[in-house]
Amino acid sequence: MTIEVAGLSKHFRVHRRPPGLAAAVRSLWRRRYDTVKAVDDVSFTIARGERVGFLGPNGAGKTTTMKVLSGLLHPTAGAVRVEGHQPFRREPDFLRRITLVMGQKQQLLWDLPPSETYALNRAVFGVDPAQARQTIAELTELLGLAGLTDKPTRQLSLGERMKCELAAALLHRPTTLFLDEPTIGLDVAMQVTIRDFIRDYNQRHDATVLLTSHYMDDVVALCPRVIVIDGGRLIHDGDLRALVKTMLPDKLVSFTGGVPAEEVARLGEVVKAEGGRTTVRVPEARLREVVSHVLDRAGADLAVEDPPLEDVMRKLFKDKRAAAPAAPPAEPPP
Amino acid sequence: MRLGYYARLFAVQARASLTTAMQYRADFLVQGLTSLYWLGWNLVPLLVLYDDRATVAGWSFGAALVVMAHFVIVRGILEGAINPSLGAVVEQIRSGAFDYTLLRPADAQFLVSTARFAPWRALDVLGGVGLLIYAFVRLGHAPSPAQLGAGLVLLGAGLAVMYGLWIMIVATAFWVVRMDNLIYLLSSVFDAARWPASVFRGVWKVVFTFVIPLALMTTFPARALLGTVTWQAGIGCLVGALLVSIVARLVWRLALRSYTSASS
């Protein structure tokens, strides 16, 4: 196993104060502290070469978990092993095997071209010059970096910068990738580029990938397995398709024209009807019947899809919270 | 092997700083002019003070000029090699970008201490050396090789003390996050190091010797050059520098352990 997490908890002591100037003045000398359980008794294992989506609402503890796994934070309790090391020891051999990409923070030197950051990382990670050249050539081809790495970082667009960030994070060829929102703020085309690149890197180097993203399309496209946490607690770990099937077993059938309005209502619940295109929700048991009916009337322009992952997540969180009143959502301190 | 590794790392970081400085040519020029301006301005209080007296607290104008020259050199190194990096790390801690430093398999204190240089400050150091030569010309004698050697060793000890103090201040940023004002305060206090330590009396004498050992940074190296330092005092300086360095390292490591990193 590349990643082993057993009973991981991370608690923060945060300073709380009521709003207002008077409270701010009081808090100068008397502070109230609360303990926030950002991660609470979470266990999972990830095998070499797996691509796992790490999902949960804002403040669920995803980033905190990633930081513990990459050695930035000491766990409060529990045992964590990544690549055979205890991350918080930050042993050089461990740091050379992992990388953490944070979509909202950057490591590229702002005033200098990305190539300068690459030179720094090459020296820091002790990458052999020939291997570094080869890796950079490979990354340049896969990410389309040609012409970008010699422009000052501040002159790059967000998407270009993210591609260069990825290259900087992968220069030492890590075998475990922690990707925290690597596609945030990027347009759809750039998201697809990054996604394809991550899959390709995973396959080429048999690298283990743990990914968080607010774009469910990233997760659907990349991760056969998902781990879901909410309020610091693990609420699902398993196959993505199986999760979708148990939570929302219905399929969405959409088609254009051809079916009389009164028949549409009998096919299933109408989810959407615009621009002449109708989408109905159909229980899986009736799928074959509905599809053949629509095919008879509307011809070939028909699509069958799983419900969007967003809906699945929303239902999952609602069900779990209803079942067990969870702790209030936790956020790490600012 | 480790030494070679860190030497390479230092070279890469220094090159990046130099490249950054070169990118802004106008800034480079302005900074150079500012350096020259301050070099001249530093002399004004000294000239005013010695206008109608021959000695102050036993220091002649020439001897006081030697201390002033050390102040200019030490401040050039402070502003050129220590402040830029450590100021940057405080900012990194606040923004959370410090995470990337911790993800690198090298000593974090080394990485942050060498992250940024202000190369034009070398002009300050050169100016200070010029001032030093002028002071000895005025005094009418040159330091012996032994005095020169002792002066260099004590200057090194003084720089180690200053670096240690700055590291401790930056380490506190791990706990309290906003640290700019403390750096500003220490920079202001350091300004007193332009005067020979013996001009200070009473509580200031104690503060500047033991709390913020300014005397170690400028007066003792200057006195070594002038040949007025006892070897016991010299050893005391070295022991003091070693102690400050060890304590600074311990404080840094303790602070790193409590680093919780900013939320993303």
Side-chain angles (χ1 to χ4, degrees), chain A residues 226-237:
Chain A
V226 289
I227 294 174
V228 186
I229 64 171
D230 186 22
R233 302 190 73 100
L234 190 137
I235 58 175
H236 175 85
D237 179 2

Side-chain angles (χ1 to χ4, degrees), chain A residues 221-257:
Chain A
L222 275 176
C223 305
R225 173 182 164 196
V226 289
I227 294 174
V228 186
I229 64 171
D230 186 22
R233 302 190 73 100
L234 190 137
I235 58 175
H236 175 85
D237 179 2
D239 184 71
L240 177 60
R241 283 183 194 291
L243 174 69
V244 173
K245 221 168 186 164
T246 35
M247 293 314 295
L248 295 174
D250 299 351
K251 298 276 180 189
L252 297 179
V253 178
S254 58
F255 50 87
T256 317

Side-chain angles (χ1 to χ4, degrees), chain A residues 90-150:
Chain A
R90 295 181 43 243
E91 289 155 321
D93 186 50
F94 164 73
L95 294 172
R96 275 193 282 268
R97 286 163 190 263
I98 64 143
T99 199
L100 169 65
V101 175
M102 293 172 278
Q104 283 154 324
K105 294 177 188 173
Q106 63 160 35
Q107 66 164 320
L108 295 174
L109 300 164
W110 185 246
D111 287 316
L112 295 175
S115 55
E116 295 286 342
T117 306
Y118 301 163
L120 173 63
N121 279 4
R122 193 181 74 62
V124 170
F125 286 95
V127 183
D128 164 73
Q131 198 210 315
R133 264 194 302 278
Q134 197 200 335
T135 307
I136 289 177
E138 184 187 308
L139 293 170
T140 302
E141 185 209 316
L142 289 175
L143 281 167
L145 299 181
L148 298 182
T149 54
D150 294 321

Side-chain angles (χ1 to χ4, degrees), chain B residues 47-259:
Chain B
L47 292 171
V48 171
L49 191 66
Y50 280 93
D51 191 36
D52 58 353
R53 17 175 125 65
T55 63
V56 174
W59 289 76
S60 70
F61 178 68
L65 209 52
V66 174
V67 175
M68 178 67 79
H70 275 83
F71 170 71
V72 173
I73 293 172
V74 171
R75 206 188 48 186
I77 293 171
L78 170 70
E79 305 258 324
I82 300 178
N83 257 350
S85 306
L86 299 187
V89 75
V90 173
E91 180 51 40
Q92 279 185 11
I93 290 168
R94 193 159 52 202
S95 72
F98 186 69
D99 288 347
Y100 284 115
T101 301
L102 289 182
L103 287 169
R104 293 182 168 146
D107 184 73
Q109 188 184 339
F110 178 86
L111 282 177
V112 303
S113 302
T114 56
R116 203 180 289 176
F117 298 96
W120 50 80
R121 289 291 172 181
L123 287 176
D124 286 34
V125 178
L126 282 180
V129 172
L131 203 57
L132 199 59
I133 293 170
Y134 171 71
F136 275 99
V137 168
R138 258 193 88 103
L139 286 168
H141 67 84
S144 72
Q147 287 165 348
L148 206 58
L152 278 175
V153 169
L154 289 196
L155 181 62
L159 290 173
V161 168
M162 193 170 61
Y163 170 69
L165 283 180
W166 253 251
I167 278 287
M168 283 190 258
I169 288 196
V170 169
T172 57
F174 288 100
W175 287 295
V176 299
V177 183
R178 272 209 78 137
M179 224 35 268
D180 319 33
N181 289 320
L182 197 49
I183 289 187
Y184 183 71
L185 175 73
L186 202 61
S187 294
S188 308
V189 171
F190 173 68
D191 213 51
R194 67 173 68 218
W195 306 108
S198 50
V199 308
F200 297 105
R201 301 261 182 255
V203 64
W204 292 113
K205 191 181 167 89
V206 177
V207 168
F208 292 153
T209 310
F210 296 107
V211 184
I212 306 166
L214 296 181
L216 245 66
M217 299 177 196
T218 54
T219 305
F220 279 100
R223 284 180 53 186
L225 275 188
L226 292 165
T228 58
V229 77
T230 60
W231 63 267
Q232 289 95 329
I235 302 251
C237 286
L238 293 182
V239 171
L242 191 68
L243 277 180
V244 171
S245 303
I246 292 171
V247 171
R249 180 70 182 170
L250 292 177
V251 169
W252 168 265
R253 291 179 61 149
L254 194 67
L256 212 54
R257 282 180 61 96
S258 72
Y259 174 68

Side-chain angles (χ1 to χ4, degrees), chain A residues 33-96:
Chain A
Y33 288 96
D34 290 347
T35 299
V36 169
K37 295 178 177 176
V39 179
D40 191 17
D41 195 19
V42 165
S43 304
F44 57 85
T45 58
I46 298 176
R48 155 97 33 243
E50 266 196 276
R51 294 189 307 263
V52 178
F54 196 29
L55 302 175
N58 285 333
K62 304 184 296 284
T63 301
T64 302
T65 306
M66 287 237 186
K67 284 183 172 174
V68 171
L69 292 180
S70 53
L72 295 175
L73 296 178
H74 268 253
T76 307
V80 178
R81 282 193 91 75
V82 176
E83 296 269 1
H85 293 263
Q86 286 177 295
F88 68 86
R89 291 175 176 274
R90 295 181 43 243
E91 289 155 321
D93 186 50
F94 164 73
L95 294 172
R96 275 193 282 268

Side-chain angles (χ1 to χ4, degrees), chain A residues 55 214-220 240-241 243-245 247-254 271-272 279-281 304-317:
Chain A
L55 302 175
H214 273 109
Y215 303 109
M216 292 300 165
D217 290 349
D218 284 347
V219 178
V220 173
L240 177 60
R241 283 183 194 291
L243 174 69
V244 173
K245 221 168 186 164
M247 293 314 295
L248 295 174
D250 299 351
K251 298 276 180 189
L252 297 179
V253 178
S254 58
V271 183
K272 202 163 74 176
T279 305
V280 291
R281 193 196 307 280
V304 180
E305 288 170 331
D306 282 325
L309 192 53
E310 280 88 348
D311 294 355
V312 176
M313 287 297 133
R314 211 171 296 134
K315 182 152 191 296
L316 180 63
F317 297 138

